[in-house]
């Protein structure tokens, strides 16, 4: 009962973080990447920052998942595998690619304070996602298999579509930086429609919703990425002026 109370309180905190994050990002742009600026304390390289910040999504999941009553349920394993698939890329593969692309760029522009914020959020989110899938989820009996696997397959198609958009967009952005670290106008793929195609891909991945913890994750992802996409879009318009496509939206094609 104490664990369930802690779980429910943690979920409430997760939902509360959504409006807080939106309000914060309306006034303060996260100070890394193209928005890097001083006053946020010491910084480290982006590749190391991503490994440290996203680390809990792997090691904490591995620590929590085996202790749930659903840990051997194929439905539970399928859901947590999709989650881990995304974060193996985000925690290991993406930082390696980022590091190789910037091997001749020596400056560190990712504030440690931002790493700590991301690390703290991931502790909360990983606990909720892993604990729900491994313990609190009610997957029903064999008679519900067709309903579960049907929804899973539809959700998996959406997830993989978002993953493809996210990875392809990241590759475009990484190649654009080059050795001089300068910014250029991203082109191709979903960049023809939005300025932050990588964010669009991540939002699409989070549409694979199965529970209230999934809803909380989706809402927080939107709360974090949509305002940042708006800021990035305005930055592109200001920096490139006449060169930047005027019909391109920030993150949602044809809408915003």
């Amino acid at each position: 009962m104490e664990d369930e109370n802690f779980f429910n309180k943690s979920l409430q905190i997760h939902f509360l973080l959504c409006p807080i994050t939106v309000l914060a990002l309306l006034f303060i742009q996260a100070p890394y990447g193209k928005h890097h600026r001083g006053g946020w304390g010491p910084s480290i390289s982006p590749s190391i920052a991503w490994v440290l910040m996203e680390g809990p999504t792997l090691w904490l999941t591995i620590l929590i998942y085996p202790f749930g009553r659903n840990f051997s349920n194929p439905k539970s394993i399928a859901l947590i595998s999709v989650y881990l698939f995304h974060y193996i890329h985000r925690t290991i593969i993406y930082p390696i690619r980022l590091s190789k692309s910037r091997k001749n760029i020596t400056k560190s522009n990712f504030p440690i304070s931002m790493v700590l914020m991301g690390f703290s959020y991931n502790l909360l989110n990983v606990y909720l996602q892993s604990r729900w899938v491994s313990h609190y989820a009610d997957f029903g009996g064999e008679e519900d298999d067709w309903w579960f696997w049907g929804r899973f397959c539809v959700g998996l198609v959406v997830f993989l579509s978002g993953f493809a958009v996210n990875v392809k967009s990241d590759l475009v952005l990484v190649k654009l930086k080059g050795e001089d670290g300068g910014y250029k106008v991203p082109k191709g793929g979903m960049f023809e429609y939005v300025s932050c195609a990588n964010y669009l891909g991540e939002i699409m991945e989070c549409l694979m919703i199965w529970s209230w913890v999934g809803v909380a994750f989706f809402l927080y992802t939107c709360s974090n990425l949509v305002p940042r996409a708006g800021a990035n879009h305005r930055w592109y318009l200001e920096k490139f002026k006449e060169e930047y496509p005027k019909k391109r939206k920030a993150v949602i094609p044809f809408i915003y």
Side-chain angles (χ1 to χ4, degrees):
M1 183 60 69
E2 289 184 2
D3 178 75
E4 187 173 357
N5 288 335
F6 181 75
F7 179 88
N8 290 332
K9 291 293 184 182
S10 298
L11 182 56
Q12 292 172 12
I13 292 173
H14 198 299
F15 274 110
L16 184 61
L17 285 175
C18 296
I20 292 175
T21 300
V22 170
L23 290 173
L25 290 176
L26 287 177
F27 298 98
I28 305 173
Q29 180 57 40
Y32 63 88
K34 59 178 63 67
H35 301 285
H36 175 69
R37 57 190 181 277
W40 288 79
S43 298
I44 57 177
S45 71
S47 54
I48 294 176
W50 279 107
V51 172
L52 296 176
M53 185 168 56
E54 303 288 354
T57 61
L58 299 183
W59 58 259
L60 187 55
T61 298
I62 294 172
L63 289 176
I64 292 175
Y65 185 81
F67 296 98
R69 61 185 176 88
N70 296 322
F71 79 97
S72 61
N73 189 312
K75 299 173 184 176
S76 174
I77 294 172
L79 290 176
I80 204 66
S81 296
V82 174
Y83 180 82
L84 288 174
F85 176 77
H86 168 79
Y87 279 108
I88 287 173
H89 173 265
R90 182 56 63 191
T91 307
I92 300 175
I93 299 175
Y94 174 70
I96 290 175
R97 185 182 297 125
L98 196 63
S99 177
K100 288 183 177 180
S101 70
R102 302 184 180 189
K103 59 185 177 181
N104 294 322
I105 302 175
T106 58
K107 69 175 183 179
S108 298
N109 61 3
F110 206 117
I112 294 176
S113 56
M114 296 302 300
V115 174
L116 293 175
M117 290 181 193
F119 181 87
S120 299
Y121 168 75
N122 280 323
L123 289 178
L124 171 66
N125 188 51
V126 172
Y127 164 72
L128 287 170
Q129 306 300 325
S130 300
R131 190 60 175 158
W132 180 81
V133 171
S134 68
H135 190 73
Y136 291 114
D138 182 7
F139 293 113
E142 293 183 2
E143 67 277 6
D144 298 316
D145 283 358
W146 68 273
W147 175 237
F148 173 87
W149 292 113
R151 290 187 301 160
F152 178 82
C153 289
V154 172
L156 187 61
V157 170
V158 176
F159 170 86
L160 291 176
S161 298
F163 182 80
V165 170
N166 180 244
V167 172
K168 183 176 180 179
S169 302
D170 278 341
L171 287 172
V172 170
L173 292 174
V174 166
K175 291 178 180 178
L176 274 182
K177 291 287 290 185
E179 295 184 356
D180 61 357
Y183 287 95
K184 302 176 183 177
V185 177
K187 298 178 181 178
M190 292 306 295
F191 280 114
E192 297 301 313
Y193 301 95
V194 295
S195 295
C196 299
N198 51 331
Y199 292 173
L200 171 63
E202 289 203 43
I203 291 173
M204 290 173 62
E205 290 179 68
C206 290
L207 283 171
M208 194 174 182
I209 297 172
W210 296 89
S211 64
W212 283 113
V213 296
V215 172
F217 190 19
F218 172 73
L219 289 179
Y220 184 82
T221 300
C222 292
S223 300
N224 184 32
L225 297 185
V226 172
R228 285 167 54 188
N232 287 348
H233 184 65
R234 292 188 293 273
W235 183 90
Y236 278 121
L237 289 173
E238 177 63 26
K239 181 175 180 60
F240 296 104
K241 299 186 185 305
E242 298 301 322
E243 180 184 354
Y244 203 72
K246 297 299 184 291
K247 292 184 178 180
R248 191 178 293 185
K249 299 297 184 180
V251 67
I252 305 174
F254 311 112
I255 299 175
Y256 175 77

